[in-house]
């Protein structure tokens, strides 16, 4: 019995020691920036021009010819990481100052709530040791991995029919998605709690370090309001099979021709339909730009909601209600975007 108690105490001490270990990072900011620069969504966000894109892609030429995405999939992680780092340092002089600042913001963002504990960020913000200690304590008390419940469904007790198996896995996908959205929300709560521990002058520096959220095409659904209107006009003319057997470029070209024949009232109606179809995602489109009137926390709330809508619609679930999910500020922003009926 004494031996068992001694072993138990030893395990508890070991667990407490592990819990008190400082957070470690497997990549520097420059390492992470090089990885991000190899992804199309970041290249698009940075607004790389054709000369920059051609120069960057030339550094990834291979035999047989493969895209950067194919090389990422087929190369070992370490080898691809070395290649992206070399490419990053070669292409960096071609980036404008605005692009470099934005890439640094995206790099800091990629570490999520843990960015505040990254050694390079601590140095940039010139945080005192007592500030860092408070951040670590707050992180451990609000760790999203601990605060987010696991995705579990009770195991079936009887043999299921094929229909029941499909329904079971559909419920599992929805539960997994709900956990993912809850995890994102808990990350945001953890970050806010950590920021509250910083002196006001350091806290004020953070939004500029993070910048606006990264909005991918996957989340935004369309590249812009204009593109969404073209898709809706084409959909209205062609019907249910509007996406079949036609390339996006051909659809786009034909829709532009049809739009020229529309009256101002028909264009206004197409605009409203496109916005209503996208739901809160419409607030992310550049032409509508309410993001400029929202702070970073509100932008991220909107992005999580947009992601929720997109994933739920892909899962075949009912599209979530817009009103109750939005804060008052975002409801006002969306009303401005939607415009008068």
């Amino acid at each position: 019995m004494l031996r068992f108690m001694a072993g138990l105490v030893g395990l508890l001490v070991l667990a407490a020691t592990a819990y008190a270990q400082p957070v470690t990072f497997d990549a520097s900011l420059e390492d992470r920036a090089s990885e991000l620069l190899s992804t199309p969504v970041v290249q698009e966000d940075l607004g790389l021009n054709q000369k920059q894109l051609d120069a960057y892609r030339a550094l990834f030429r291979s035999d047989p010819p493969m895209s950067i995405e194919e090389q990422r999939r087929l190369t070992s992680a370490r080898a691809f990481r070395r290649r992206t780092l070399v490419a990053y340092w070669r292409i960096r002089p071609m980036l404008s100052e605005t692009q470099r600042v934005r890439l640094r913001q995206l790099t800091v963002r990629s570490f999520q709530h843990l960015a505040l504990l990254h050694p390079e960020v601590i140095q940039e913000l010139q945080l005192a040791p007592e500030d860092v200690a408070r951040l670590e304590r707050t992180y451990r008390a609000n760790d999203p991995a601990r605060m987010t419940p696991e995705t579990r469904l009770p195991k079936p007790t009887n043999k299921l029919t094929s229909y029941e198996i499909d329904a079971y896995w559909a419920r599992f996908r929805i539960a997994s998605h709900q956990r993912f959205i809850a995890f994102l929300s808990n990350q945001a709560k953890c970050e806010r709690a950590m920021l509250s521990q910083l002196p006001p002058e350091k806290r004020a520096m953070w939004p500029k370090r993070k910048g606006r959220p990264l909005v991918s095409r996957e989340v935004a659904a369309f590249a812009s309001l204009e593109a969404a209107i073209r898709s809706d006009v084409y959909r209205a003319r062609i019907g249910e099979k509007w996406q079949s057997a036609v390339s996006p470029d051909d659809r786009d070209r034909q829709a532009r021709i049809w739009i020229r024949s529309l009256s101002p009232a028909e264009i206004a109606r197409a605009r409203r339909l496109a916005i209503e179809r996208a739901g809160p995602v419409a607030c992310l489109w550049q032409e509508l730009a309410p993001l400029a009137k929202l702070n970073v926390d509100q932008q991220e709330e909107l992005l999580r909601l947009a992601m929720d809508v997109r994933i739920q619609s892909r899962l075949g679930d009912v599209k979530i209600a817009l009103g109750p999910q939005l804060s008052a500020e975002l409801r006002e922003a969306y009303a401005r975007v939607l415009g008068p009926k």
Side-chain angles (χ1 to χ4, degrees):
M1 184 67 179
L2 286 174
R3 191 180 301 165
F4 172 77
M5 291 300 294
L8 184 59
V9 169
L11 284 173
L12 290 172
V13 169
L14 187 62
T17 305
Y19 188 70
Q21 289 296 318
V23 179
T24 57
F25 296 87
D26 64 348
S28 69
L29 293 183
E30 300 299 351
D31 285 342
R32 185 62 61 83
S34 70
E35 293 175 44
L36 292 176
L37 191 57
S38 70
T39 59
V41 65
V42 170
Q43 294 171 0
E44 182 184 346
D45 186 277
L46 295 178
L48 298 186
N49 59 40
Q50 198 58 49
K51 184 179 177 182
Q52 291 170 322
L53 283 171
D54 290 344
Y56 186 75
R57 287 167 184 162
L59 299 169
F60 284 84
R61 282 194 185 130
S62 61
D63 189 24
M66 286 188 291
S67 68
I68 297 176
E69 290 72 34
E70 288 173 319
Q71 291 182 48
R72 185 195 303 276
R73 195 168 58 249
L74 298 175
T75 312
S76 73
R78 184 177 295 179
F80 188 80
R81 199 165 177 175
R82 280 199 301 269
R83 194 165 191 180
T84 57
L85 195 55
V86 170
Y88 166 74
W89 285 112
R90 287 188 183 173
I91 205 72
R92 197 174 186 278
M94 292 184 66
L95 300 179
S96 68
E97 184 60 28
T98 302
Q99 288 171 328
R100 289 180 198 171
V101 169
R102 178 59 179 154
L103 183 55
R104 176 50 66 100
Q105 289 175 341
L106 293 174
T107 303
V108 170
R109 273 188 165 277
S110 71
F111 288 100
Q112 301 163 336
H113 57 292
L114 288 175
L116 284 162
L117 290 174
H118 195 289
E120 293 173 61
V121 174
I122 290 170
Q123 189 174 3
E124 286 179 3
L125 293 176
Q126 298 181 335
L127 298 181
E130 55 270 23
D131 294 330
V132 177
R134 281 200 303 273
L135 286 176
E136 288 179 342
R137 285 196 300 272
T138 307
Y139 157 65
R140 290 194 170 91
N142 298 273
D143 182 1
R146 229 169 21 87
M147 306 296 282
T148 310
E150 289 295 326
T151 302
R152 288 181 182 172
L153 287 179
K155 289 184 179 179
T157 53
N158 302 318
K159 189 174 181 181
L160 301 180
T161 65
S162 60
Y163 174 80
E164 288 170 331
I165 289 171
D166 289 343
Y168 179 87
W169 285 113
R171 288 199 304 274
F172 183 82
R173 287 195 300 273
I174 291 169
S176 299
H177 160 64
Q178 289 169 344
R179 183 184 188 278
F180 172 64
I181 293 297
F183 184 72
L184 292 181
S185 180
N186 287 336
Q187 279 184 338
K189 289 175 187 173
C190 182
E191 184 181 316
R192 285 195 294 271
M194 292 170 73
L195 281 173
S196 69
Q197 301 301 311
L198 293 181
E201 66 276 8
K202 305 293 183 185
R203 199 181 314 148
M205 297 166 67
W206 189 239
K208 191 173 181 181
R209 294 281 172 186
K210 278 182 68 178
R212 58 183 168 77
L214 176 66
V215 181
S216 69
R217 286 180 184 272
E218 173 65 19
V219 173
F222 298 101
S224 65
L225 170 61
E226 184 186 350
I229 291 173
R230 289 198 295 271
S231 292
D232 265 31
V233 167
Y234 193 89
R235 186 201 306 263
R237 290 288 182 102
I238 298 299
E240 286 303 311
K241 296 184 179 179
W242 70 285
Q243 283 183 314
S244 61
V246 181
S247 74
D249 287 344
D250 288 341
R251 285 204 306 267
D252 210 46
R253 199 176 300 113
Q254 184 60 60
R256 287 176 191 273
I257 295 169
W258 286 337
I259 285 173
R260 292 192 203 112
S261 66
L262 297 179
S263 68
E266 288 172 321
I267 290 175
R269 182 173 178 275
R271 177 185 185 276
R272 185 176 180 87
L273 280 174
I275 293 171
E276 287 179 336
R277 190 184 300 280
V281 178
C283 295
L284 301 170
W285 289 336
Q286 263 189 327
E287 297 99 323
L288 306 178
L291 285 184
K293 300 172 185 174
L294 302 175
N295 63 38
V296 171
D297 284 343
Q298 291 165 341
Q299 291 178 27
E300 289 176 340
E301 178 195 346
L302 183 59
L303 193 58
R304 282 196 302 277
L305 177 62
M307 193 181 299
D308 199 19
V309 170
R310 293 297 297 153
I311 295 176
Q312 288 212 42
S313 63
R314 195 187 311 132
L315 291 173
D317 199 21
V318 179
K319 191 172 181 179
I320 61 175
L322 174 64
Q325 300 290 333
L326 288 174
S327 65
E329 295 88 348
L330 291 182
R331 279 201 296 272
E332 289 173 14
Y334 185 71
R336 287 196 302 270
V337 165
L338 201 55
K341 288 191 177 181

